[in-house]
Amino acid sequence: MVDDVERAVAERECRDLWEQVFQVNPGKGGKYYLNVAFPYPSGAMHVGHGRTYTVPDVIARFCRMRGRKVLFPMGFHVTGTPVIGISRRIAKGDEKTIRLYRDLYRVSQEEINQFTDPMVIVRHFSGEYERVMRSLGLSIDWRRRFITVDPHYSKFIEWQYKHLGEKGYVVKGIHPVKYCPQCENPVGDHDLLEGDKSEIIKFTLVIFRYGDALIPTATLRPETIYGVTNIWVNPAVAYVKTRIDNVIYILSREAAEKLRIQDHTVEIIDELSPGALIDQRVSHPLCGEITVLPAEFVDPDMGSGIVMSVPAHAPFDYIALRDLQERGMYREIVPIPLLSVEGYGAWPAKDAVERAQINNQQDPRMESITQDVYSTEFMRGTMFPQFGGKAVREARDEVAALMVERYGSLYLFDFDIRPVVCRCGGRVYVKILRDQWFLQYSDAGWKEMVYDQLARMDLVPPEVRAEFARTVGWLKDWACTRRVGLGTKLPWDPAWIIEPLSDSTIYMAYYTIAHQIKAIEPSKLTPEVFDYIFLGRETPHLPKRALLDAMREEFLYWYPYDFRFSAKDLISNHLTFQLFHHLAIFPPELQPQGIVVFGMGLLNGAKMSSSKGNVVLLEDAIDEFGADAVRMFLLGSAEPWQDFDWRNELVHATRKQIERFSTTVTEAYGQTTDRQGGQVGVWLLSRLQSRIERVTAAMEGFQTRQALQEAFHGSELDLKWYRQRRGTEPPGPELSLLINTWIRLLAPYIPYTCERLWHHIGKQELVCSAPWPTPNKALVNTGVELAEELIQRTMEDVASIMKLIKINPASITLFCAPAWKWQIFRTIGASNDRRGALREVMQDAEMRKRGKAAAEATNQVATLIHRLSPELIDQLMTTQVDEVAVFSEAKAFLERGFGIPVYIEAAERSTHPKAANALPFKPAIQIG
Ligand SMILES: [Zn+2]
């Protein structure tokens, strides 16, 4: 076996030879265009990425061998704020970030020092990605590589947005964002020291009247206003009297500050002493007059710092009220139910608290039972008839709208998890951006186009179809611009930058021209130029007309793309967005044709995560096991849509398998002779034809694991049997044919090994461009296949009987079933009603004569058939197997195998009691 250094050299030589093959231009013959979600290169690649790119590569290599022109391109996505955040953290000397880059990604300190410029990070890692992708053997046309901040690409995005804008798909609206007042900037999750998982939630402020002032209570469930019995204030908090937009409110100081950032004029007038509000009376038209009660669970930094109490439906409210009542206070208050929900009584909050046996407000389980009650009521609750009788899901938005329209409610945005802290150390707030641009994914007509396209598409695996439909259904308008980050400026409002998920939706079209467009200066790339290339629209005075024609021709050659590959977590955004955009920009005949969705990667059973260090770097894996072993493991351990689990010991075992394959092929090639290999030689070639068929079918269905099993292990088993049957006889020419085919079937998976072996067996051309094997029907011989299968099955039966008996056996006798039992076999095999088979068998007069023996045989044969595969039954129905002849031919082989004499008898000519047990394709066995 070649050692690691030799292997590395051989792999490099291979890559040099491949380069030309993977650079593809339009030409004769069918085309196949597949692409994969491009990576965001801000750290090193791990083995999870390895699978994402190897699956399309195997398909690409397969299609190339089938004679298609195959385009597999790659670019790098670098827009947005992540690299800016990283460079800022490195500039500030953030230890955690520096450790990640120095220790896990192994970047030299010298380079890290330059990472204060985000473009250096982008260039470093996109270079690294390309290098590692090349060493993995990916068959990418690297001439088309680009990064999403290239000026040429920006011009393309400007063109895309010009069209989206003209078609009315980009609209202005308000948008809440995370905002750091110290930095005076919106902040992305990567810019946060704490709270990067926090989500922005929208509270409705339900406004209660208190004398001349108003008291806002924040709620996510405005429909529960009908069940309010009191409101809660924290007795330790000094609330403030505040003029907000010229109206006087009482709320927490923190809430006043939040409203100030959310575009209200806020002026604090006075501070109330703690407890001043307790026992005061307040009112709201929808619940009447109620009392203010004290509760310690009320957080002045959440919402308005004052909440309404719905003890029938909120566990915290229920338990706080119960505590007070147990101390003899507020006994007159009774929880008011407002909705019914299956599985709970009138007061769901009470049920939940009692079922969990919770005794006080501090119990840590309070959060989770609250979530249970809230989500159950939302999903399955129905409002009482006097409150409208609608599903809670519908009632919620309606009541919120009513509150705002008629009862002076405001909205307040806040975080669900706190604290949220900026990298600068300052606190992060929710700010409202008023002139934010949105892609109007809520547009019903646009959605309709996507539904129609999905119906025409090939989605793999089929179960993702429902998930796509769901995503299109709930998709709302998407804030598509940001104030900060790398990227393309919105053409008509250049203060905004198009955000990363919105500038990566039709770049598959850009790949088709990416290598040619570099010849044109970016300043000349007007929207008219792209209109010509992609839409065929003529305009006078276009630059470099001949080049534009070539690009248009190339675009039309490759488009529409055939398949896009991506992980399943992108269905809810990218994969669906790209359909919206294709439909908005390109004509119907150029729409996406198919999508293959991947499962996730695990490492020793746990989710892979770079930030937690739970990853194996792809490059390390390639260095340790070789690219082929990495590829074969990634594809052999699960189908693309299943999750896979990386385990070093299993990858090691895969490497051993490849070495075994390589040794087998090399040795066998040297031993082959011109002498035909008899029956088992015919068998080997016959088997090979169905293997080719099955591998090809599995590949066509993207079942890359199934195809590998067939190609690798299936062929290996066949070869083993062939050798066993040949004994000391040298292998015949059929073995050459097997080897020749075997190498080609495995070439997409382990390309380096297969190139070497292909060369070894004297081929001049590269295996990556050799023709994919096709089955030769003339070589299929079902009779011989059945004969060998009969021998294999019988040997297994003999072996298992031998294991059971204690004595040293002296001989084996095989009794073969008589013709009339085969007749029963065929009758049952052809019958639609196998349980009623006895009646059918007995319709035959000859059978009736056999009486009890025929009835018994029918039962036994029915049981036997039940255990055979439908495929095998079909073959046995149509092909005669002369069992005595089969075993007589194999007598010497069997005797060699078992080391004792083997006798073969027709059961009907024997008086031995065992002979009566002989069944078709299952001889009776006597070991003596
Ligand atoms: Zn800050």
Side-chain angles (χ1 to χ4, degrees):
M1 198 57 233
V2 281
D3 71 12
D4 289 352
V5 177
E6 267 180 60
R7 190 189 65 209
V9 172
E11 289 183 357
R12 196 175 328 125
E13 282 172 10
C14 254
R15 285 197 291 276
D16 289 345
L17 295 169
W18 285 340
E19 186 86 26
Q20 296 282 318
V21 179
F22 304 151
Q23 292 182 357
V24 63
N25 298 312
K28 287 204 185 76
K31 66 90 188 180
Y32 192 81
Y33 178 17
L34 79 178
N35 51 64
V36 55
F38 55 14
Y40 193 101
S42 65
M45 269 198 280
H46 56 69
V47 293
H49 299 112
R51 191 199 27 193
T52 302
Y53 308 118
T54 306
V55 173
D57 184 62
V58 166
I59 299 298
R61 285 172 174 275
F62 164 66
C63 292
R64 219 173 267 123
M65 291 176 75
R66 294 183 101 192
R68 307 245 208 124
K69 294 259 180 198
V70 176
L71 175 57
F72 180 22
M74 188 65 64
F76 297 106
H77 196 200
V78 303
T79 31
T81 55
V83 281
I84 293 182
I86 294 161
S87 78
R88 230 186 260 157
R89 264 172 277 156
I90 287 173
K92 283 185 181 140
D94 179 71
E95 257 312 306
K96 202 175 139 206
T97 310
I98 292 172
R99 261 203 314 275
L100 181 71
Y101 280 79
R102 190 185 53 212
D103 302 342
L104 183 63
Y105 301 152
R106 278 182 243 125
V107 182
S108 72
Q109 189 60 49
E110 210 173 306
E111 278 173 292
I112 291 178
N113 294 341
Q114 293 171 23
F115 278 6
T116 49
D117 175 356
M119 283 309 293
V120 174
I121 304 179
V122 163
R123 278 195 293 269
H124 175 86
F125 284 109
S126 50
E128 284 293 285
Y129 266 53
E130 177 176 338
R131 193 175 57 76
V132 178
M133 285 175 165
R134 280 176 181 271
S135 65
L136 188 60
L138 302 183
S139 59
I140 290 167
D141 180 351
W142 285 108
R143 296 173 305 162
R144 297 165 193 266
R145 171 192 146 150
F146 65 89
I147 63 174
T148 51
V149 291
D150 285 344
H152 295 83
Y153 185 75
S154 278
K155 289 292 175 185
F156 169 70
I157 297 300
E158 284 177 18
W159 167 76
Q160 176 189 358
Y161 274 78
K162 177 179 170 280
H163 279 280
L164 293 171
E166 283 169 3
K167 290 185 171 157
Y169 290 136
V170 188
V171 293
K172 235 177 196 185
I174 67 159
H175 183 55
V177 292
K178 293 175 184 170
Y179 182 84
C180 171
Q182 280 199 52
C183 299
E184 293 185 6
N185 241 328
V187 284
D189 289 347
H190 292 81
D191 305 317
L192 298 178
L193 210 53
E194 278 183 78
D196 60 331
K197 295 277 183 303
S198 64
E199 301 258 1
I200 294 173
I201 47 180
K202 183 182 179 186
F203 285 109
T204 304
L205 295 180
V206 177
I207 311 290
F208 289 84
R209 176 155 290 282
Y210 169 52
D212 294 336
L214 300 176
I215 294 186
T217 62
T219 183
L220 295 171
R221 307 197 300 160
E223 76 282 5
T224 59
I225 181 69
Y226 301 111
V228 170
T229 57
N230 60 284
I231 64 176
W232 299 112
V233 295
N234 187 316
V237 169
Y239 291 90
V240 289
K241 191 179 244 186
T242 306
R243 189 189 305 276
I244 299 173
D245 305 334
N246 281 326
V247 181
I248 306 292
Y249 290 86
I250 293 169
L251 74 176
S252 73
R253 192 176 283 275
E254 292 86 341
E257 289 312 317
K258 288 174 195 168
L259 286 167
R260 191 198 304 280
I261 290 175
Q262 288 171 24
D263 287 357
H264 296 278
T265 61
V266 173
E267 181 198 348
I268 294 174
I269 301 167
D270 195 8
E271 184 177 280
L272 279 60
S273 55
L277 291 171
I278 294 168
D279 290 338
Q280 301 297 306
R281 299 286 281 174
V282 299
S283 67
H284 189 285
L286 296 179
C287 71
E289 202 174 76
I290 51 170
T291 307
V292 180
L293 268 54
E296 273 146 27
F297 73 81
V298 178
D299 181 353
D301 200 8
M302 190 59 153
S304 59
I306 302 171
V307 295
M308 55 190 212
S309 169
V310 191
H313 298 281
F316 273 109
D317 296 343
Y318 172 78
I319 207 161
L321 180 64
R322 193 181 71 178
D323 284 357
L324 290 172
Q325 291 182 336
E326 279 171 1
R327 281 185 270 148
M329 302 151 81
Y330 309 110
R331 288 236 158 118
E332 70 287 358
I333 297 179
V334 179
I336 304 168
L338 60 114
L339 58 85
S340 62
V341 61
E342 200 189 293
Y344 289 102
W347 299 349
K350 175 172 185 274
D351 293 348
V353 165
E354 287 175 358
R355 281 175 204 164
Q357 297 179 326
I358 288 173
N359 296 317
N360 64 70
Q361 303 173 38
Q362 275 73 41
D363 193 307
R365 292 171 300 159
M366 282 298 290
E367 278 300 335
S368 76
I369 70 158
T370 297
Q371 281 317 312
D372 283 351
V373 171
Y374 283 17
S375 68
T376 311
E377 290 190 349
F378 179 68
M379 300 304 287
R380 302 208 302 266
T382 309
M383 304 291 287
F384 286 159
Q386 65 268 39
F387 305 131
K390 289 196 171 164
V392 171
R393 261 191 279 199
E394 292 170 49
R396 180 160 301 171
D397 288 346
E398 286 179 15
V399 176
L402 181 76
M403 291 272 191
V404 172
E405 217 170 276
R406 208 177 295 170
Y407 303 115
S409 277
L410 308 172
Y411 291 121
L412 170 70
F413 294 93
D414 208 344
F415 298 115
D416 59 343
I417 305 172
R418 279 161 307 125
V420 181
V421 181
C422 177
R423 283 279 158 192
C424 74
R427 176 160 176 188
V428 172
Y429 288 86
V430 181
K431 186 179 169 69
I432 309 289
L433 296 184
R434 298 232 160 248
D435 44 1
Q436 170 66 44
W437 292 98
F438 288 85
L439 283 162
Q440 205 172 27
Y441 293 138
S442 64
D443 183 287
W446 205 3
K447 277 183 199 268
E448 215 42 57
M449 287 158 71
V450 178
Y451 283 126
D452 287 352
Q453 185 57 30
L454 279 169
R456 286 188 285 267
M457 287 175 73
D458 194 351
L459 302 176
V460 183
E463 51 270 27
V464 299
R465 189 170 291 281
E467 212 176 323
F468 272 103
R470 259 201 308 280
T471 301
V472 178
W474 63 246
L475 209 54
K476 297 193 170 67
D477 294 350
W478 181 264
C480 63
T481 54
R482 298 285 183 269
R483 289 292 189 192
V484 290
L486 301 176
T488 303
K489 293 189 166 109
L490 193 65
W492 62 85
D493 190 357
W496 290 100
I497 296 158
I498 297 163
E499 63 84 42
L501 275 164
S502 303
D503 80 352
S504 56
T505 53
I506 55 167
Y507 66 93
M508 314 73 163
Y510 187 78
Y511 279 130
T512 67
I513 59 158
H515 54 316
Q516 301 200 60
I517 202 168
K518 286 170 193 161
I520 304 180
E521 237 181 275
S523 63
K524 300 230 167 79
L525 294 175
T526 57
E528 289 73 25
V529 169
F530 291 106
D531 276 348
Y532 182 69
I533 298 172
F534 292 115
L535 306 175
R537 256 181 229 165
E538 291 282 354
T539 322
H541 315 302
L542 288 171
K544 302 212 181 195
R545 186 57 192 258
L547 183 61
L548 298 193
D549 283 336
M551 285 193 269
R552 169 127 186 97
E553 190 192 331
E554 177 132 18
F555 168 65
L556 289 177
Y557 179 77
W558 295 113
Y559 245 62
Y561 71 70
D562 295 272
F563 274 95
R564 179 156 185 78
F565 293 69
S566 173
K568 66 179 162 200
D569 53 341
L570 296 190
I571 295 178
S572 62
N573 47 57
H574 166 73
L575 285 176
T576 304
F577 291 1
Q578 54 111 17
L579 294 177
F580 275 90
H581 286 255
H582 270 89
L583 288 156
I585 302 287
F586 299 111
E589 67 277 13
L590 300 180
Q591 296 302 319
Q593 300 296 296
I595 296 177
V596 179
V597 174
F598 294 146
M600 309 300 273
L602 304 176
L603 175 57
N604 298 318
K607 192 168 181 268
M608 281 192 213
S609 155
S610 298
S611 59
K612 292 194 181 116
N614 189 43
V615 287
V616 171
L617 297 192
L618 185 53
E619 184 165 29
D620 290 352
I622 294 172
D623 284 346
E624 187 174 354
F625 303 105
D628 281 349
V630 170
R631 293 170 62 103
M632 183 158 144
F633 174 79
L634 289 171
L635 281 104
S637 54
E639 295 295 2
W641 40 90
Q642 295 167 334
D643 296 346
F644 76 95
D645 189 5
W646 180 275
R647 290 179 193 262
N648 272 355
E649 64 277 14
L650 297 181
V651 189
H652 184 74
T654 304
R655 180 184 175 164
K656 291 276 165 218
Q657 288 176 338
I658 296 173
E659 288 174 4
R660 202 171 65 215
F661 162 70
S662 179
T663 310
T664 305
V665 166
T666 314
E667 285 175 6
Y669 179 69
Q671 296 162 351
T672 321
T673 65
D674 290 339
R675 278 210 315 258
Q676 296 290 338
Q679 172 169 302
V680 75
V682 174
W683 172 83
L684 187 70
L685 292 183
S686 181
R687 291 280 285 182
L688 188 57
Q689 307 317 309
S690 50
R691 289 234 180 270
I692 295 171
E693 215 166 293
R694 283 198 293 266
V695 173
T696 308
M699 285 291 231
E700 284 171 343
F702 304 99
Q703 290 172 286
T704 47
R705 176 177 194 269
Q706 175 69 27
L708 179 61
Q709 294 283 339
E710 277 286 341
F712 190 90
H713 303 289
S715 304
E716 201 175 36
L717 284 175
D718 288 352
L719 180 60
K720 194 178 161 201
W721 178 250
Y722 172 81
R723 288 214 154 129
Q724 213 177 326
R725 287 281 274 138
R726 295 288 292 161
T728 52
E729 293 282 308
E734 59 277 356
L735 187 58
S736 296
L737 206 50
L738 172 86
I739 286 169
N740 179 304
T741 307
W742 203 8
I743 296 172
R744 283 181 290 153
L745 291 179
L746 289 176
Y749 291 89
I750 47 173
Y752 291 112
T753 306
C754 290
E755 287 298 356
R756 187 165 49 74
L757 294 172
W758 195 241
H759 182 70
H760 182 82
I761 66 167
K763 301 293 179 184
Q764 297 302 313
E765 87 272 35
L766 293 167
V767 76
C768 68
S769 36
W772 182 256
T774 47
N776 179 353
K777 294 270 182 247
L779 294 175
V780 175
N781 187 325
T782 311
V784 168
E785 284 201 42
L786 287 174
E788 295 297 317
E789 174 139 15
L790 176 61
I791 297 168
Q792 284 175 347
R793 284 170 174 261
T794 307
M795 284 178 78
E796 281 164 23
D797 288 351
V798 170
S800 56
I801 296 171
M802 280 191 163
K803 243 187 233 162
L804 292 176
I805 56 175
K806 299 278 186 287
I807 51 151
N808 271 344
S811 70
I812 301 164
T813 309
L814 303 174
F815 301 103
C816 301
W820 63 270
K821 287 196 183 173
W822 276 101
Q823 193 188 328
I824 293 177
F825 186 98
R826 296 208 177 85
T827 307
I828 299 178
S831 167
N832 294 325
D833 169 25
R834 286 188 184 156
R835 262 182 254 151
L838 185 60
R839 208 180 324 118
E840 281 187 48
V841 170
M842 290 305 176
Q843 277 169 4
D844 186 294
E846 290 294 313
M847 289 295 171
R848 280 199 301 276
K849 269 189 224 159
R850 294 183 188 279
K852 202 172 157 220
E856 263 173 26
T858 303
N859 271 334
Q860 288 166 342
V861 171
T863 310
L864 176 71
I865 281 187
H866 189 68
R867 291 188 191 137
L868 299 178
S869 71
E871 204 187 357
L872 183 58
I873 296 169
D874 281 350
Q875 288 175 344
L876 289 171
M877 297 284 289
T878 51
T879 311
Q880 295 278 352
V881 184
D882 182 343
E883 296 190 37
V884 174
V886 167
F887 288 120
S888 301
E889 190 275 338
K891 184 170 159 43
F893 166 70
L894 294 170
E895 291 181 336
R896 202 166 62 231
F898 292 110
I900 45 176
V902 175
Y903 305 106
I904 296 115
E905 288 189 38
E908 55 204 333
R909 297 208 199 102
S910 173
T911 52
H912 195 285
K914 278 265 171 73
N917 296 336
L919 290 174
F921 218 60
K922 198 171 179 56
I925 298 164
Q926 162 64 21
I927 296 177

